[in-house]
Amino acid sequence: MPELRLLAWPAGHSLSPVMHNAALAELGLPWEYRAVAVPPAELPEAVEALRAPGVRGANVTVPHKEAVLPLLDSVSDAARLCGAVNTISNRDGHLHGDNTDVHGFLALLQAAGIEPAGRPGLKTVILGAGGAARAAVYALAGTAAITIMNRTRSRAEELAAAFETAAGPLTVAEAGTPPDPETELIVNTTSVGMELAGVDPDESPLPARVLPPGATVIDMVYRPAVTRLLRDAAARGLPAYNGLEMLVMQGAEALRIWTGRQDVPAAAMRGAALAALG
Ligand code: ATR
């Protein structure tokens, strides 16, 4: 049976297996998607194993998205610029890396009614400077006016420098600085607010009092479905969206790449993810 894998460490928390298996069933494909627990030291071996003829590809998630790059034969422009791969395809033993988080984020923006190409100069604040922030910057590059804020300022500066040519000047602001009141879009890419063992789920990356009055607020977190940031935004009447649509659509794009099918059932993936989240 053709196989798809998820390389993760630990592997237990991901919604990808239920999403992909629901979609594969709906497509009538006798393929199996399964999570594999890969400790960091075993990543090279796990990637090498993807060259086997029965394996069509894999998703890669925390903590392997960056480390996997040099192990592949080729990567897309988005993956190279973001420095992260979340989707690998096995093309007759040749391993190619993509970053479908960019696609997922663009789909989330669309669900939020934002079409970056039609909104040149869109005043955007991105909170965070990790792999997820890079996908957001890539998606908005060249159109939006982006300010990056991160707890560790040097990482924000590195991100800005990496995208300078593609995105035009990017501004870096100190974490904790109130955003410009004219800001139109706020995107949280940090893990603040996420349901994690030992972490206060009632934290927000941005205090309610500094939320710009005309901004759309997007939180890439989807567990819990309504974070403190989204609750504060909604209480002020701001449009607020969580990251579930990004999760679903990065998966749909990966499945399109692996199967070549244009009719990947995103609705089945969304339904399976929502059911698993309870
Ligand atoms: P991902 O690939 O999901 O973006 P990452 O590269 O580990 O993951 O990045 C996590 C982001 O969340 C970073 O911007 C991180 O800030 P630092 O660069 O300072 O580490 C941010 N983050 C995580 N926990 C945070 C916290 N408690 N407060 C503020 N920012 C936090």
Side-chain angles (χ1 to χ4, degrees), residues 36-122:
V36 186
V38 180
E42 290 170 23
L43 183 65
E45 215 177 306
V47 170
E48 215 37 48
L50 301 177
R51 297 184 197 275
V55 182
R56 300 301 166 92
N59 277 141
V60 184
T61 187
V62 179
H64 302 311
K65 285 188 188 185
E66 287 93 22
V68 80
L69 249 87
L71 305 172
L72 303 175
D73 302 313
S74 60
V75 297
S76 67
D77 285 348
R80 191 176 33 77
L81 246 176
C82 293
V85 161
N86 78 329
T87 301
I88 300 172
S89 19
N90 176 18
R91 303 172 176 168
D92 298 323
H94 173 105
L95 298 182
H96 179 76
D98 278 295
N99 187 314
T100 71
D101 286 335
V102 172
H103 180 94
F105 181 66
L106 283 168
L108 171 54
L109 281 179
Q110 197 178 29
I114 294 171
E115 180 56 69
R119 304 273 296 271
L122 183 76

Side-chain angles (χ1 to χ4, degrees), residues 100 103-104 107-108 244-254 266 270:
T100 71
H103 180 94
L108 171 54
L244 188 68
E245 193 61 13
M246 178 172 172
L247 173 80
V248 170
M249 297 310 282
Q250 64 73 31
E253 177 66 4
R270 196 177 295 115

Side-chain angles (χ1 to χ4, degrees), residues 191-203:
S191 47
V192 178
M194 207 182 274
E195 210 169 272
L196 281 174
V199 174
D200 178 5
D202 212 39
E203 252 188 80

Side-chain angles (χ1 to χ4, degrees), residues 66 128-133 150-152 155 189-192 203:
E66 287 93 22
N150 192 47
R151 177 178 62 181
T152 311
R155 282 188 90 194
T189 74
T190 77
S191 47
V192 178
E203 252 188 80

